Amino acid sequence: MELYSYDACPFAQRSRIVLAEKGLDYELHEVDVHNKPAGWERISPYGKVPVLLDGGGRIYESRIINEYLDEAYPEPPLMPGTPLARAEARIWIDYCDTRFLPASHRYAWADDAGRTEAAAELDEVLRFLEREGLAHSGPYWLGKEVSLVDFHYLPFVERLAVHEQLHGYRWPADCRRLRDWYAAVCERPSVKGTLRPAEWHIEQHRRLREAIEQRRAAGG
Ligand SMILES: N[C@@H](CCC(=O)N[C@@H](CS)C(=O)NCC(=O)O)C(=O)O
């Protein structure tokens, strides 16, 4: 099995965590997405990491890679056992990509004039997660058992520290379950090995901003 990944990529981090949870051996190819290798588009149709090669097939999109890994390597299972519980897991995985990430992204890229509004939007999303998403007794998203939902959110909750340190974002004080959930997931060995200090994430954010500005200046 081979994984094309980038150290700083939160999407690739999702898949690295799941591979570690499953105890799977794989060859890691580190791809600097700001400086892609020649022929990269032949490996990654969207030009993005992560990409997994396994069993003669190529899988991309972190959510789909993780679902594939859970189906192809069912031990330990990372999706619940009943259709209803699996539907719930998928609702939160979808919420992460369609609501939480856009809100977090808007905050990160807001100008000074738009930041207050972006912070209010992000607060609202985090409160929704606190109230509706973390309704089980924990310690994990769906209760006692860790699942793909935990690993879908973890890299992006980790990166809220960038908002905090760069722009003074504060999590709503009433989001206690979210904090407890984050602390519990960070304790898993599969996750611990992927965590980085806030300063490192800030440096990656700076590199990303620079790359985007260069691309814009070049008319891309
Ligand atoms: N929806 C994709 C997003 C992957 C993604 O955006 N990866 C970024 C790095 S964090 C990337 O490869 N960007 C390179 C590019 O867009 O050219 C997933 O879940 O896998």
Tab-separated table of all heavy atoms in Angstrom, residues 161-206:
chain	number	residue	atom	x	y	z
A	161	ALA	N	-6.084	26.470	16.603
A	161	ALA	CA	-5.034	27.189	17.347
A	161	ALA	C	-4.411	28.289	16.489
A	161	ALA	O	-3.941	29.297	17.022
A	161	ALA	CB	-3.958	26.202	17.796
A	162	VAL	N	-4.443	28.118	15.165
A	162	VAL	CA	-3.891	29.165	14.282
A	162	VAL	C	-4.775	30.414	14.377
A	162	VAL	O	-4.280	31.535	14.505
A	162	VAL	CB	-3.799	28.660	12.820
A	162	VAL	CG1	-3.362	29.779	11.883
A	162	VAL	CG2	-2.844	27.483	12.725
A	163	HIS	N	-6.097	30.208	14.340
A	163	HIS	CA	-7.014	31.357	14.463
A	163	HIS	C	-6.781	32.058	15.800
A	163	HIS	O	-6.824	33.273	15.897
A	163	HIS	CB	-8.485	30.907	14.459
A	163	HIS	CG	-8.903	30.159	13.232
A	163	HIS	ND1	-8.190	30.151	12.076
A	163	HIS	CD2	-10.017	29.414	12.995
A	163	HIS	CE1	-8.826	29.416	11.163
A	163	HIS	NE2	-9.936	28.956	11.712
A	164	GLU	N	-6.573	31.233	16.815
A	164	GLU	CA	-6.425	31.754	18.174
A	164	GLU	C	-5.165	32.625	18.260
A	164	GLU	O	-5.207	33.759	18.723
A	164	GLU	CB	-6.300	30.546	19.103
A	164	GLU	CG	-6.816	30.762	20.510
A	164	GLU	CD	-6.944	29.396	21.201
A	164	GLU	OE1	-7.662	28.522	20.668
A	164	GLU	OE2	-6.309	29.204	22.251
A	165	GLN	N	-4.063	32.072	17.740
A	165	GLN	CA	-2.787	32.775	17.903
A	165	GLN	C	-2.626	33.936	16.924
A	165	GLN	O	-2.017	34.931	17.266
A	165	GLN	CB	-1.639	31.785	17.766
A	165	GLN	CG	-1.759	30.686	18.814
A	165	GLN	CD	-0.448	30.369	19.485
A	165	GLN	OE1	0.586	30.900	19.140
A	165	GLN	NE2	-0.496	29.489	20.468
A	166	LEU	N	-3.167	33.795	15.727
A	166	LEU	CA	-2.981	34.882	14.751
A	166	LEU	C	-3.989	36.013	14.929
A	166	LEU	O	-3.655	37.170	14.758
A	166	LEU	CB	-3.094	34.356	13.315
A	166	LEU	CG	-1.928	33.569	12.742
A	166	LEU	CD1	-2.169	33.272	11.268
A	166	LEU	CD2	-0.613	34.336	12.894
A	167	HIS	N	-5.222	35.641	15.279
A	167	HIS	CA	-6.272	36.671	15.289
A	167	HIS	C	-7.048	36.735	16.593
A	167	HIS	O	-8.078	37.398	16.659
A	167	HIS	CB	-7.258	36.426	14.130
A	167	HIS	CG	-6.596	36.333	12.806
A	167	HIS	ND1	-5.890	37.380	12.243
A	167	HIS	CD2	-6.487	35.301	11.924
A	167	HIS	CE1	-5.400	36.997	11.071
A	167	HIS	NE2	-5.732	35.742	10.854
A	168	GLY	N	-6.600	36.009	17.603
A	168	GLY	CA	-7.261	36.086	18.915
A	168	GLY	C	-8.611	35.391	18.983
A	168	GLY	O	-9.426	35.693	19.853
A	169	TYR	N	-8.878	34.439	18.059
A	169	TYR	CA	-10.168	33.733	18.133
A	169	TYR	C	-10.255	32.937	19.429
A	169	TYR	O	-9.305	32.271	19.823
A	169	TYR	CB	-10.339	32.786	16.931
A	169	TYR	CG	-11.664	32.069	16.985
A	169	TYR	CD1	-12.842	32.754	16.719
A	169	TYR	CD2	-11.734	30.730	17.366
A	169	TYR	CE1	-14.076	32.120	16.814
A	169	TYR	CE2	-12.968	30.082	17.460
A	169	TYR	CZ	-14.129	30.788	17.178
A	169	TYR	OH	-15.352	30.161	17.290
A	170	ARG	N	-11.384	33.020	20.085
A	170	ARG	CA	-11.610	32.224	21.301
A	170	ARG	C	-12.789	31.285	21.067
A	170	ARG	O	-13.843	31.739	20.621
A	170	ARG	CB	-11.943	33.126	22.501
A	170	ARG	CG	-10.811	34.019	22.929
A	170	ARG	CD	-9.821	33.285	23.851
A	170	ARG	NE	-8.614	34.079	24.042
A	170	ARG	CZ	-7.506	33.991	23.307
A	170	ARG	NH1	-7.421	33.130	22.327
A	170	ARG	NH2	-6.460	34.756	23.550
A	171	TRP	N	-12.613	29.999	21.415
A	171	TRP	CA	-13.752	29.075	21.307
A	171	TRP	C	-14.832	29.598	22.243
A	171	TRP	O	-14.499	30.099	23.324
A	171	TRP	CB	-13.417	27.702	21.864
A	171	TRP	CG	-12.385	26.902	21.187
A	171	TRP	CD1	-11.289	27.359	20.529
A	171	TRP	CD2	-12.341	25.476	21.150
A	171	TRP	NE1	-10.573	26.289	20.086
A	171	TRP	CE2	-11.192	25.127	20.452
A	171	TRP	CE3	-13.178	24.463	21.640
A	171	TRP	CZ2	-10.843	23.798	20.233
A	171	TRP	CZ3	-12.827	23.151	21.420
A	171	TRP	CH2	-11.681	22.824	20.720
A	172	PRO	N	-16.098	29.436	21.877
A	172	PRO	CA	-17.146	29.810	22.827
A	172	PRO	C	-16.925	29.053	24.141
A	172	PRO	O	-16.658	27.845	24.130
A	172	PRO	CB	-18.434	29.356	22.138
A	172	PRO	CG	-18.090	29.189	20.695
A	172	PRO	CD	-16.629	28.866	20.630
A	173	ALA	N	-17.012	29.789	25.253
A	173	ALA	CA	-16.693	29.182	26.560
A	173	ALA	C	-17.617	28.010	26.880
A	173	ALA	O	-17.250	27.095	27.625
A	173	ALA	CB	-16.783	30.258	27.636
A	174	ASP	N	-18.837	28.024	26.294
A	174	ASP	CA	-19.787	26.951	26.631
A	174	ASP	C	-19.545	25.663	25.818
A	174	ASP	O	-20.285	24.699	25.989
A	174	ASP	CB	-21.238	27.452	26.472
A	174	ASP	CG	-21.460	28.201	25.162
A	174	ASP	OD1	-20.456	28.564	24.505
A	174	ASP	OD2	-22.624	28.398	24.785
A	175	CYS	N	-18.509	25.629	24.985
A	175	CYS	CA	-18.241	24.404	24.202
A	175	CYS	C	-17.334	23.446	24.982
A	175	CYS	O	-16.230	23.113	24.516
A	175	CYS	CB	-17.640	24.764	22.850
A	175	CYS	SG	-18.845	25.462	21.725
A	176	ARG	N	-17.804	23.005	26.123
A	176	ARG	CA	-16.963	22.160	26.998
A	176	ARG	C	-16.836	20.746	26.477
A	176	ARG	O	-15.797	20.119	26.580
A	176	ARG	CB	-17.538	22.131	28.417
A	176	ARG	CG	-17.207	23.405	29.152
A	176	ARG	CD	-17.619	23.332	30.613
A	176	ARG	NE	-17.941	24.692	31.015
A	176	ARG	CZ	-19.156	25.218	31.004
A	176	ARG	NH1	-20.198	24.488	30.648
A	176	ARG	NH2	-19.352	26.466	31.364
A	177	ARG	N	-17.943	20.231	25.927
A	177	ARG	CA	-17.884	18.845	25.422
A	177	ARG	C	-16.898	18.734	24.267
A	177	ARG	O	-16.193	17.749	24.148
A	177	ARG	CB	-19.268	18.405	24.943
A	177	ARG	CG	-20.088	17.853	26.100
A	177	ARG	CD	-21.354	17.266	25.584
A	177	ARG	NE	-22.357	18.296	25.659
A	177	ARG	CZ	-23.643	18.133	25.404
A	177	ARG	NH1	-24.098	16.972	25.022
A	177	ARG	NH2	-24.473	19.107	25.531
A	178	LEU	N	-16.852	19.786	23.467
A	178	LEU	CA	-15.929	19.804	22.330
A	178	LEU	C	-14.482	19.766	22.831
A	178	LEU	O	-13.635	19.056	22.295
A	178	LEU	CB	-16.194	21.065	21.500
A	178	LEU	CG	-15.599	21.131	20.105
A	178	LEU	CD1	-16.040	19.970	19.236
A	178	LEU	CD2	-15.996	22.454	19.431
A	179	ARG	N	-14.202	20.520	23.876
A	179	ARG	CA	-12.845	20.511	24.454
A	179	ARG	C	-12.497	19.130	25.015
A	179	ARG	O	-11.401	18.637	24.820
A	179	ARG	CB	-12.739	21.536	25.596
A	179	ARG	CG	-12.569	22.917	25.089
A	179	ARG	CD	-12.184	23.877	26.210
A	179	ARG	NE	-12.162	25.216	25.666
A	179	ARG	CZ	-11.200	25.705	24.891
A	179	ARG	NH1	-10.165	24.967	24.586
A	179	ARG	NH2	-11.269	26.931	24.414
A	180	ASP	N	-13.462	18.533	25.734
A	180	ASP	CA	-13.202	17.198	26.320
A	180	ASP	C	-13.002	16.170	25.222
A	180	ASP	O	-12.136	15.296	25.316
A	180	ASP	CB	-14.377	16.760	27.207
A	180	ASP	CG	-14.452	17.604	28.469
A	180	ASP	OD1	-13.477	18.348	28.754
A	180	ASP	OD2	-15.485	17.549	29.164
A	181	TRP	N	-13.833	16.277	24.183
A	181	TRP	CA	-13.693	15.361	23.043
A	181	TRP	C	-12.301	15.508	22.426
A	181	TRP	O	-11.606	14.515	22.191
A	181	TRP	CB	-14.782	15.664	21.986
A	181	TRP	CG	-14.452	15.051	20.663
A	181	TRP	CD1	-14.677	13.764	20.279
A	181	TRP	CD2	-13.751	15.679	19.574
A	181	TRP	NE1	-14.170	13.551	19.007
A	181	TRP	CE2	-13.597	14.710	18.557
A	181	TRP	CE3	-13.257	16.966	19.358
A	181	TRP	CZ2	-12.961	14.976	17.349
A	181	TRP	CZ3	-12.616	17.239	18.154
A	181	TRP	CH2	-12.483	16.253	17.163
A	182	TYR	N	-11.878	16.757	22.204
A	182	TYR	CA	-10.576	17.005	21.565
A	182	TYR	C	-9.458	16.402	22.419
A	182	TYR	O	-8.558	15.722	21.896
A	182	TYR	CB	-10.386	18.514	21.373
A	182	TYR	CG	-9.078	18.858	20.704
A	182	TYR	CD1	-8.796	18.396	19.423
A	182	TYR	CD2	-8.124	19.650	21.343
A	182	TYR	CE1	-7.593	18.695	18.800
A	182	TYR	CE2	-6.923	19.954	20.729
A	182	TYR	CZ	-6.662	19.474	19.456
A	182	TYR	OH	-5.467	19.760	18.843
A	183	ALA	N	-9.531	16.612	23.728
A	183	ALA	CA	-8.489	16.085	24.631
A	183	ALA	C	-8.450	14.556	24.540
A	183	ALA	O	-7.371	13.948	24.483
A	183	ALA	CB	-8.744	16.540	26.065
A	184	ALA	N	-9.618	13.911	24.491
A	184	ALA	CA	-9.672	12.438	24.449
A	184	ALA	C	-9.081	11.916	23.141
A	184	ALA	O	-8.296	10.957	23.137
A	184	ALA	CB	-11.122	11.958	24.601
A	185	VAL	N	-9.417	12.545	22.020
A	185	VAL	CA	-8.924	12.048	20.726
A	185	VAL	C	-7.415	12.255	20.625
A	185	VAL	O	-6.688	11.405	20.099
A	185	VAL	CB	-9.679	12.705	19.541
A	185	VAL	CG1	-9.208	12.122	18.216
A	185	VAL	CG2	-11.163	12.468	19.673
A	186	CYS	N	-6.941	13.381	21.170
A	186	CYS	CA	-5.483	13.659	21.115
A	186	CYS	C	-4.680	12.618	21.887
A	186	CYS	O	-3.490	12.463	21.650
A	186	CYS	CB	-5.185	15.048	21.678
A	186	CYS	SG	-5.625	16.353	20.537
A	187	GLU	N	-5.323	11.916	22.805
A	187	GLU	CA	-4.618	10.901	23.598
A	187	GLU	C	-4.377	9.609	22.826
A	187	GLU	O	-3.591	8.769	23.244
A	187	GLU	CB	-5.408	10.584	24.872
A	187	GLU	CG	-5.230	11.613	25.983
A	187	GLU	CD	-3.750	11.867	26.270
A	187	GLU	OE1	-3.021	10.888	26.479
A	187	GLU	OE2	-3.327	13.035	26.241
A	188	ARG	N	-5.068	9.429	21.708
A	188	ARG	CA	-4.869	8.165	20.973
A	188	ARG	C	-3.504	8.151	20.309
A	188	ARG	O	-3.124	9.131	19.649
A	188	ARG	CB	-5.976	7.980	19.916
A	188	ARG	CG	-7.324	7.774	20.568
A	188	ARG	CD	-8.325	7.291	19.588
A	188	ARG	NE	-8.137	5.893	19.196
A	188	ARG	CZ	-8.599	4.854	19.868
A	188	ARG	NH1	-9.260	5.035	20.991
A	188	ARG	NH2	-8.406	3.626	19.421
A	189	PRO	N	-2.759	7.059	20.451
A	189	PRO	CA	-1.418	7.011	19.855
A	189	PRO	C	-1.419	7.320	18.351
A	189	PRO	O	-0.510	7.979	17.853
A	189	PRO	CB	-0.956	5.577	20.135
A	189	PRO	CG	-1.747	5.154	21.330
A	189	PRO	CD	-3.070	5.861	21.233
A	190	SER	N	-2.452	6.877	17.651
A	190	SER	CA	-2.519	7.118	16.193
A	190	SER	C	-2.560	8.615	15.894
A	190	SER	O	-2.072	9.062	14.858
A	190	SER	CB	-3.794	6.479	15.628
A	190	SER	OG	-4.932	7.091	16.196
A	191	VAL	N	-3.162	9.366	16.793
A	191	VAL	CA	-3.331	10.806	16.598
A	191	VAL	C	-2.099	11.544	17.106
A	191	VAL	O	-1.560	12.436	16.435
A	191	VAL	CB	-4.600	11.298	17.345
A	191	VAL	CG1	-4.670	12.821	17.365
A	191	VAL	CG2	-5.849	10.707	16.696
A	192	LYS	N	-1.645	11.144	18.281
A	192	LYS	CA	-0.508	11.824	18.921
A	192	LYS	C	0.662	12.003	17.965
A	192	LYS	O	1.288	13.054	17.921
A	192	LYS	CB	-0.024	10.992	20.112
A	192	LYS	CG	-0.473	11.543	21.436
A	192	LYS	CD	0.246	10.844	22.558
A	192	LYS	CE	-0.373	11.310	23.855
A	192	LYS	NZ	-0.101	10.420	24.954
A	193	GLY	N	0.953	10.926	17.219
A	193	GLY	CA	2.082	10.961	16.294
A	193	GLY	C	1.924	11.991	15.189
A	193	GLY	O	2.874	12.277	14.469
A	194	THR	N	0.724	12.530	15.012
A	194	THR	CA	0.503	13.482	13.901
A	194	THR	C	0.371	14.927	14.390
A	194	THR	O	0.293	15.838	13.581
A	194	THR	CB	-0.797	13.142	13.114
A	194	THR	OG1	-1.936	13.435	13.932
A	194	THR	CG2	-0.842	11.689	12.690
A	195	LEU	N	0.281	15.121	15.697
A	195	LEU	CA	0.016	16.474	16.211
A	195	LEU	C	1.257	17.349	16.125
A	195	LEU	O	2.372	16.874	16.332
A	195	LEU	CB	-0.463	16.407	17.674
A	195	LEU	CG	-1.768	15.641	17.930
A	195	LEU	CD1	-2.032	15.545	19.427
A	195	LEU	CD2	-2.938	16.306	17.216
A	196	ARG	N	1.066	18.615	15.861
A	196	ARG	CA	2.179	19.569	15.788
A	196	ARG	C	1.842	20.794	16.622
A	196	ARG	O	0.664	21.135	16.779
A	196	ARG	CB	2.404	20.020	14.334
A	196	ARG	CG	2.840	18.918	13.392
A	196	ARG	CD	4.140	18.286	13.871
A	196	ARG	NE	4.651	17.333	12.908
A	196	ARG	CZ	5.598	17.616	12.027
A	196	ARG	NH1	6.128	18.814	11.983
A	196	ARG	NH2	6.010	16.688	11.198
A	197	PRO	N	2.878	21.498	17.103
A	197	PRO	CA	2.602	22.703	17.903
A	197	PRO	C	1.981	23.824	17.056
A	197	PRO	O	2.165	23.848	15.828
A	197	PRO	CB	3.988	23.131	18.409
A	197	PRO	CG	4.983	22.249	17.771
A	197	PRO	CD	4.287	21.184	16.974
A	198	ALA	N	1.303	24.728	17.723
A	198	ALA	CA	0.610	25.828	17.020
A	198	ALA	C	1.579	26.615	16.144
A	198	ALA	O	1.231	26.991	15.021
A	198	ALA	CB	-0.060	26.745	18.039
A	199	GLU	N	2.808	26.838	16.612
A	199	GLU	CA	3.779	27.651	15.844
A	199	GLU	C	4.057	27.002	14.486
A	199	GLU	O	4.249	27.670	13.493
A	199	GLU	CB	5.119	27.796	16.595
A	199	GLU	CG	5.044	28.516	17.927
A	199	GLU	CD	4.273	27.726	18.968
A	199	GLU	OE1	4.447	26.484	19.007
A	199	GLU	OE2	3.481	28.338	19.729
A	200	TRP	N	4.131	25.681	14.488
A	200	TRP	CA	4.382	24.955	13.237
A	200	TRP	C	3.215	25.176	12.275
A	200	TRP	O	3.413	25.452	11.092
A	200	TRP	CB	4.580	23.471	13.551
A	200	TRP	CG	5.013	22.626	12.392
A	200	TRP	CD1	6.291	22.408	11.964
A	200	TRP	CD2	4.157	21.875	11.507
A	200	TRP	NE1	6.283	21.568	10.869
A	200	TRP	CE2	5.003	21.224	10.571
A	200	TRP	CE3	2.779	21.693	11.434
A	200	TRP	CZ2	4.509	20.398	9.571
A	200	TRP	CZ3	2.283	20.871	10.424
A	200	TRP	CH2	3.144	20.232	9.516
A	201	HIS	N	1.995	25.092	12.794
A	201	HIS	CA	0.826	25.300	11.931
A	201	HIS	C	0.792	26.737	11.410
A	201	HIS	O	0.400	26.974	10.263
A	201	HIS	CB	-0.464	24.989	12.693
A	201	HIS	CG	-0.663	23.522	12.906
A	201	HIS	ND1	-0.742	22.630	11.869
A	201	HIS	CD2	-0.774	22.786	14.039
A	201	HIS	CE1	-0.902	21.405	12.343
A	201	HIS	NE2	-0.920	21.475	13.656
A	202	ILE	N	1.216	27.667	12.236
A	202	ILE	CA	1.230	29.077	11.797
A	202	ILE	C	2.212	29.251	10.640
A	202	ILE	O	1.916	29.913	9.651
A	202	ILE	CB	1.563	30.004	12.990
A	202	ILE	CG1	0.357	30.025	13.943
A	202	ILE	CG2	1.919	31.414	12.531
A	202	ILE	CD1	0.634	30.646	15.277
A	203	GLU	N	3.343	28.601	10.744
A	203	GLU	CA	4.339	28.668	9.668
A	203	GLU	C	3.770	28.054	8.371
A	203	GLU	O	3.969	28.581	7.275
A	203	GLU	CB	5.623	27.948	10.127
A	203	GLU	CG	6.712	27.819	9.094
A	203	GLU	CD	7.155	29.145	8.459
A	203	GLU	OE1	6.953	30.209	9.073
A	203	GLU	OE2	7.698	29.092	7.328
A	204	GLN	N	3.045	26.946	8.491
A	204	GLN	CA	2.435	26.319	7.305
A	204	GLN	C	1.390	27.244	6.695
A	204	GLN	O	1.261	27.349	5.474
A	204	GLN	CB	1.785	24.973	7.661
A	204	GLN	CG	2.713	23.959	8.286
A	204	GLN	CD	3.988	23.756	7.501
A	204	GLN	OE1	3.979	23.713	6.274
A	204	GLN	NE2	5.111	23.666	8.198
A	205	HIS	N	0.647	27.912	7.568
A	205	HIS	CA	-0.390	28.842	7.113
A	205	HIS	C	0.271	29.995	6.341
A	205	HIS	O	-0.211	30.410	5.285
A	205	HIS	CB	-1.138	29.364	8.342
A	205	HIS	CG	-2.315	30.220	8.003
A	205	HIS	ND1	-3.468	29.720	7.456
A	205	HIS	CD2	-2.501	31.553	8.104
A	205	HIS	CE1	-4.316	30.706	7.254
A	205	HIS	NE2	-3.754	31.832	7.629
A	206	ARG	N	1.401	30.463	6.860
A	206	ARG	CA	2.140	31.551	6.199
A	206	ARG	C	2.606	31.096	4.805
A	206	ARG	O	2.476	31.820	3.826
A	206	ARG	CB	3.337	31.951	7.078
A	206	ARG	CG	3.999	33.268	6.676
A	206	ARG	CD	5.363	33.431	7.318
A	206	ARG	NE	6.289	32.345	7.001
A	206	ARG	CZ	6.859	32.127	5.818
A	206	ARG	NH1	6.612	32.930	4.823
A	206	ARG	NH2	7.681	31.097	5.623
